[in-house]
């Protein structure tokens, strides 16, 4: 067929007709051969080799961040004890972060928490205790809430510290609430979350917004209390601060401190997650490395 244009004009027509009929003949013979051998053209073979009974490719499904999972687990335990979940803003008034929590401007305990200021009286909250005040302003007793969320502190980042981390606050106010109730609730939480073998102990402590106050330790779940680097070879690790709500806090929210008592606690979510899963560096939570995150 390529030769046609090179021929003298008067020869082209006949030659062309001849070539064409030859082509038709060859095509027909080929088709016959193909169907005889039942050989299919490649594209058709591929299409029919597709086996619809093979399992499909699973779509990529993400999962919850380990810290979100821990918060969900904590919520579940406290839900079973009758606690509601409350939230407050991360950008907060100084009043809620300090004043209303019995931390006046000249109080020395402000230094540890003196945080990221947006304006003179607006800051990133350094603790979820702010939510205690916001809830009590809105609600009369009985109050029974937990409040998870992010907090911010001017801490230098290392394996155990971060300028941003998560807390879960707890608050229960009613008539006749005692320190024994606080201990009982924390005991139930620790057993439910860490398991029956974990021990709890309370050490006297100080927080401006609770009196008396305690720091709560659990037996180190990494070494079973035998002593390791995570618990500084003491067998115990601190997981939360707690205490009975200070009457000055009730005053700020116009609760009758003669009639009502209550307890509050605040726990570090990163710390709890690290203990539960044996994670030794807090920075792993924030690096978005799927090799880490996909293990949970
Ligand atoms: N807000 C305290 C902290 O961040 C923890 C705490 C909460 C202590 C409630 C007592 C009562 O360290």
């Amino acid at each position: 067929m390529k030769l046609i244009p090179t021929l003298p004009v008067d020869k082209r027509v006949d030659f062309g007709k001849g070539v064409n009929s030859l082509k038709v003949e060859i095509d027909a013979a080929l088709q016959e051969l193909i169907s005889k051998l039942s050989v299919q053209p490649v594209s058709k073979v591929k299409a029919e080799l597709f086996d619809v009974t093979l399992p499909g490719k699973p779509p990529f499904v993400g999962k919850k961040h380990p810290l979100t999972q821990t918060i969900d687990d904590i919520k579940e335990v406290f839900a079973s004890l009758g606690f509601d979940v409350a939230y407050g803003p991360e950008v907060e008034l100084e009043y809620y972060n300090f004043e209303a929590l019995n931390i006046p401007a000249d109080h020395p305990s402000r230094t540890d928490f003196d945080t990221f200021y947006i304006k003179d009286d607006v800051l990133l909250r350094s603790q979820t205790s702010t939510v205690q005040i916001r809830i009590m302003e809105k609600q009369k007793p009985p109050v029974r809430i937990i409040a998870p969320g992010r907090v911010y502190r001017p801490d230098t980042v290392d394996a155990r510290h971060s300028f941003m981390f998560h807390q879960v606050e707890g608050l229960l106010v009613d008539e006749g609430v005692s320190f024994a109730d606080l201990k009982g609730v924390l005991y139930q939480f620790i057993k439910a979350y860490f398991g029956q073998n974990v021990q709890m102990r309370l050490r006297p402590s100080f927080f401006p917004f609770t009196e008396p106050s305690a720091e709560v330790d659990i037996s180190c779940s990494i070494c079973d209390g035998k002593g390791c680097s995570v618990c500084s070879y003491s067998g115990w690790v601190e997981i939360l601060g707690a205490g009975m709500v200070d009457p000055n806090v009730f005053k700020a929210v116009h609760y009758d401190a003669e009639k009502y008592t209550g307890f509050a606690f605040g726990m570090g979510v990163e710390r709890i997650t690290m203990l539960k899963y044996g994670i030794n560096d807090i920075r792993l939570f924030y690096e978005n490395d799927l090799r880490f995150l996909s293990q949970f």
Side-chain angles (χ1 to χ4, degrees):
M1 291 179 108
K2 271 190 197 150
L3 283 176
I4 297 173
T6 67
L7 295 173
V9 183
D10 57 336
K11 298 250 166 79
R12 285 188 197 169
V13 179
D14 279 352
F15 186 82
K17 272 186 186 156
V19 169
N20 236 346
S21 63
L22 200 60
K23 184 173 177 277
V24 170
E25 237 174 84
I26 292 172
D27 277 352
L30 263 177
Q31 279 309 318
E32 205 185 312
L33 207 61
I34 284 170
S35 57
K36 246 194 213 155
L37 298 173
S38 76
V39 174
Q40 304 288 336
V42 174
S43 62
K44 226 176 163 188
V45 172
K46 256 195 186 156
E48 282 173 14
L49 266 182
F50 178 74
D51 182 350
V52 292
T53 66
L54 284 174
K57 277 190 199 152
F60 178 76
V61 181
K63 42 163 87 173
K64 283 181 186 167
H65 191 280
L67 295 175
T68 309
Q69 284 183 48
T70 301
I71 291 173
D72 285 352
D73 292 344
I74 294 171
K75 277 188 201 163
E76 207 173 298
V77 175
F78 281 101
S80 73
L81 295 169
F83 285 74
D84 286 333
V85 180
Y87 297 94
E90 288 171 34
V91 178
E92 184 55 285
L93 292 171
E94 188 186 13
Y95 174 77
Y96 290 98
N97 203 70
F98 293 126
E99 300 290 337
L101 287 165
N102 199 28
I103 314 176
D106 57 358
H107 197 288
S109 85
R110 269 207 192 194
T111 352
D112 289 343
F113 298 133
D114 244 345
T115 169
F116 302 103
Y117 282 81
I118 312 272
K119 289 197 299 193
D120 274 354
D121 57 347
V122 182
L123 44 75
L124 297 182
R125 67 177 177 191
S126 64
Q127 51 187 354
T128 44
S129 303
T130 52
V131 188
Q132 290 186 35
I133 306 297
R134 287 190 169 271
I135 290 296
M136 287 192 282
E137 277 182 348
K138 277 196 288 217
Q139 196 180 320
K140 292 274 153 259
V143 172
R144 203 188 307 193
I145 55 120
I146 58 164
R150 293 197 183 110
V151 299
Y152 301 83
R153 287 186 195 175
D155 283 347
T156 305
V157 176
D158 63 22
R160 295 176 70 152
H161 296 90
S162 166
F163 53 85
M164 184 281 301
F165 60 97
H166 298 72
Q167 288 187 327
V168 174
E169 191 81 7
L171 173 70
L172 186 147
V173 183
D174 205 342
E175 286 178 49
V177 178
S178 76
F179 204 98
D181 297 317
L182 166 62
K183 203 173 162 184
V185 164
L186 293 178
Y187 184 85
Q188 291 306 326
F189 164 70
I190 284 165
K191 295 281 171 174
Y193 186 75
F194 287 103
Q196 292 302 319
N197 295 332
V198 169
Q199 304 297 310
M200 173 178 99
R201 80 174 180 189
L202 274 67
R203 282 178 291 111
S205 186
F206 172 80
F207 298 101
F209 34 91
T210 48
E211 182 64 35
S213 305
E215 258 155 60
V216 178
D217 298 343
I218 58 166
S219 54
C220 182
S221 55
I222 308 287
C223 63
D224 275 338
K226 288 186 199 82
C228 67
S229 62
V230 171
C231 60
S232 308
Y233 301 93
S234 71
W236 296 93
V237 268
E238 185 207 321
I239 59 160
L240 60 89
M244 301 306 289
V245 180
D246 193 292
N248 282 342
V249 173
F250 282 151
K251 209 155 129 199
V253 297
H254 310 295
Y255 273 18
D256 182 352
E258 293 299 321
K259 188 167 175 199
Y260 298 110
T261 48
F263 62 74
F265 56 85
M267 60 181 97
V269 175
E270 278 79 352
R271 170 66 68 85
I272 285 174
T273 312
M274 289 167 83
L275 280 173
K276 175 115 170 177
Y277 298 110
I279 299 163
N280 59 11
D281 196 320
I282 196 170
R283 291 168 289 200
L284 288 164
F285 290 126
Y286 314 123
E287 285 168 349
N288 279 336
D289 188 336
L290 289 180
R291 289 171 302 179
F292 172 73
L293 296 174
S294 61
Q295 295 177 45
F296 298 92

